[in-house]
Amino acid sequence: MSMKNVLIIGGGQAGATVAQDLRKRGYEGDITLIGEEAQLPYRRPPLSKAYLAGEASIESLQVMKAPILEKNRIDLRTDSRVSSIRPAEHQVELADGQVLSYDKLVLCTGGRARPLPVAGADADNVFELRSIKDVDAIRAECTEGRHLVIIGGGFIGLEVAAVARKLGLNVTVLEGLPRVLARVTAPQISTFFEQVHREAGVQIRTDASVSGLVGSPRVSHVLLRDGEQIPADLVIVGIGLIANTELAANAGLAVDNGIVVNEFGQTSDPDIYAAGDCSNLPSAFYGRRVRLESVNNAMEQARCVAAALIGNPQPYDPVPWFWSDQYDLKLQMVGLSAGYDTCVLRGDPATRSFSLFYLRDGEIIAADAVSQPKDFMAAKKLVAARVRAEAATLADPSIPLTDLLPA
């Protein structure tokens, strides 16, 4: 099929990157980008940090402004929702009944905040944090001295806690697991960040199981399973993300913890691709399939899809990395640490600048760097090169990490 029309569902960073990269690679056909939000495509990571703090404007978050859209001849349709895909007809139907045709379709549908499955979660002062609209509503409630309860001690929860303390709120973080960041880091990192937040005045409650929210139309207390009630003027829920795969599944595409794609971003339908948080991709590096929730993955996989669409397929096999800003600290992480058998601490956490390396059978498989950008940059290369190292060597700050890299 001659590709004259590319339709992209999802107006976030992945979708915007596919559109822009197609033009950079010389594609001259039509590009239509469909987004459910009223906004131009924007970056989501600052939402829980600079934008919530009032330090960033909507304009500063935008990745494609109107002149760029016009210059690149990208037809952006905001406030538009796709209700179904018809693969056999190469068509999609919008919620308003309009039908659009495509030669190639790209799904960048992202994900949505996981809802809290308890009574009262739909109250007026209970919020998720996924969009500009969400944060605008939260900011309107962030008055100094009010009591904020954050349910979930992951990245979003802790980032919001740090900003809320700066804004003068009383903050309680409720985490159902024995420690914060339990799904992504070792206990040493969890302990460090728990201490940092407590020193900043945040109440951290671990092993805290929420059974309900008390009050209507506004919540006044968060009810724990042991019967305790935590006062709350507002509640923010940050308990994870659900990949938006319903469109793909209803269209008959393979779905398994995300939209299943190959190393080029191609789904089980050869004319449909997917990229970003919604996609489940093969990792030759890890020897299994992975679904990655990070902006750098969304952008790099989107570029891979654009290359494949114009007939220049390049396999995508990333070594993932992530980051989180909390107070004056930057946590940077590379690799997936699941399955490690040894942790090596480099530096002193008391200095608020240190790194933690994860090894399996002597091989460096991941690293966390707290306000250690040089360690992080070296760690990216060490993990990618599958370097083997002695624990004592990694632990010695006097030995440059670059000395461990292959010649």
Side-chain angles (χ1 to χ4, degrees):
M1 177 189 296
S2 175
M3 188 175 72
K4 299 178 181 178
N5 176 18
V6 176
L7 184 61
I8 304 167
I9 302 177
Q13 204 146 3
T17 301
V18 172
Q20 283 187 294
D21 212 56
L22 281 170
R23 290 296 186 227
K24 289 179 181 178
R25 295 175 184 272
Y27 173 65
E28 293 294 336
D30 294 337
I31 300 175
T32 303
L33 182 61
I34 302 174
E36 290 193 8
E37 294 185 57
Q39 303 291 340
L40 297 178
Y42 63 88
R43 296 179 294 128
R44 293 189 191 276
L47 291 179
S48 57
K49 300 180 274 286
Y51 186 71
L52 177 60
E55 299 166 354
S57 65
I58 291 177
E59 291 73 24
S60 70
L61 303 188
Q62 291 170 349
V63 296
M64 276 202 304
K65 299 183 187 297
I68 298 296
L69 289 162
E70 183 177 356
K71 178 182 177 181
N72 286 286
R73 293 178 290 112
I74 297 169
D75 178 13
L76 173 64
R77 305 192 180 198
T78 57
D79 273 328
S80 296
R81 184 176 65 84
V82 175
S83 58
S84 65
I85 302 169
R86 305 170 185 170
E89 293 85 9
H90 282 71
Q91 294 177 337
V92 303
E93 183 174 350
L94 304 185
D96 63 6
Q98 186 178 3
V99 175
L100 303 178
S101 298
Y102 66 84
D103 291 330
K104 299 290 185 182
L105 178 66
V106 186
L107 304 179
C108 299
T109 50
R112 60 190 182 275
R114 186 178 298 278
L116 184 68
V118 302
D122 58 349
D124 292 346
N125 57 337
V126 178
F127 304 94
E128 298 166 345
L129 197 158
R130 184 64 183 167
S131 68
I132 284 176
K133 183 178 179 181
D134 293 336
V135 181
D136 286 346
I138 291 169
R139 283 169 62 181
E141 296 272 356
C142 286
T143 304
E144 185 175 357
R146 301 187 81 187
H147 292 269
L148 164 64
V149 175
I150 300 170
I151 301 174
F155 287 142
I156 292 292
L158 296 185
E159 288 168 359
V160 170
V163 172
R165 285 300 297 144
K166 288 172 61 178
L167 296 176
L169 279 78
N170 299 302
V171 181
T172 301
V173 173
L174 303 177
E175 170 55 54
L177 295 175
R179 56 187 176 88
V180 301
L181 300 174
R183 293 179 177 86
V184 293
T185 63
Q188 295 95 318
I189 299 291
S190 298
T191 298
F192 172 77
F193 276 99
E194 286 179 14
Q195 180 178 342
V196 165
H197 281 277
R198 287 189 172 112
E199 289 174 353
V202 176
Q203 300 294 316
I204 300 278
R205 303 285 297 273
T206 56
D207 288 315
S209 180
V210 175
S211 62
L213 302 178
V214 180
S216 180
R218 293 177 62 88
V219 166
S220 62
H221 292 80
V222 176
L223 177 64
L224 301 185
R225 198 164 299 282
D226 63 6
E228 183 181 0
Q229 295 192 23
I230 309 294
D233 294 307
L234 67 153
V235 177
I236 297 176
V237 179
I239 55 174
L241 177 140
I242 299 173
N244 291 328
T245 61
E246 289 79 7
L247 274 176
N250 291 338
L253 302 181
V255 170
D256 182 10
N257 183 32
I259 303 168
V260 176
V261 299
N262 64 14
E263 66 270 32
F264 307 112
Q266 190 177 45
T267 71
S268 53
D269 183 314
D271 291 328
I272 304 179
Y273 290 72
D277 292 358
C278 67
S279 71
N280 181 308
L281 61 143
S283 171
F285 189 84
Y286 288 105
R288 59 185 175 89
R289 301 192 69 88
V290 296
R291 188 174 66 80
L292 303 172
E293 298 173 9
S294 72
V295 67
N296 58 289
N297 170 71
M299 295 174 67
E300 291 302 319
Q301 191 181 20
R303 294 187 181 104
C304 167
V305 166
L309 286 171
I310 64 165
N312 184 27
Q314 302 164 7
Y316 180 60
D317 189 20
V319 177
W321 57 274
F322 316 86
W323 84 93
S324 175
D325 294 326
Q326 299 172 41
Y327 306 105
D328 59 333
L329 302 168
K330 180 177 285 291
L331 170 62
Q332 295 171 290
M333 314 169 74
V334 59
L336 303 178
S337 60
Y340 73 89
D341 54 43
T342 304
C343 269
V344 181
L345 181 66
R346 181 182 176 91
D348 183 0
T351 67
R352 296 168 68 94
S353 178
F354 65 98
S355 300
L356 190 71
F357 287 83
Y358 300 82
L359 285 75
R360 183 171 59 229
D361 297 328
E363 179 184 311
I364 302 171
I365 62 169
D368 301 337
V370 178
S371 298
Q372 274 284 8
K374 289 184 178 179
D375 279 8
F376 173 66
M377 294 305 296
K380 289 176 72 175
K381 297 176 181 178
L382 293 170
V383 173
R386 300 183 180 276
V387 167
R388 302 181 67 82
E390 296 292 334
T393 302
L394 285 172
D396 188 347
S398 69
I399 301 175
L401 292 173
T402 51
D403 287 357
L404 302 177
L405 290 169

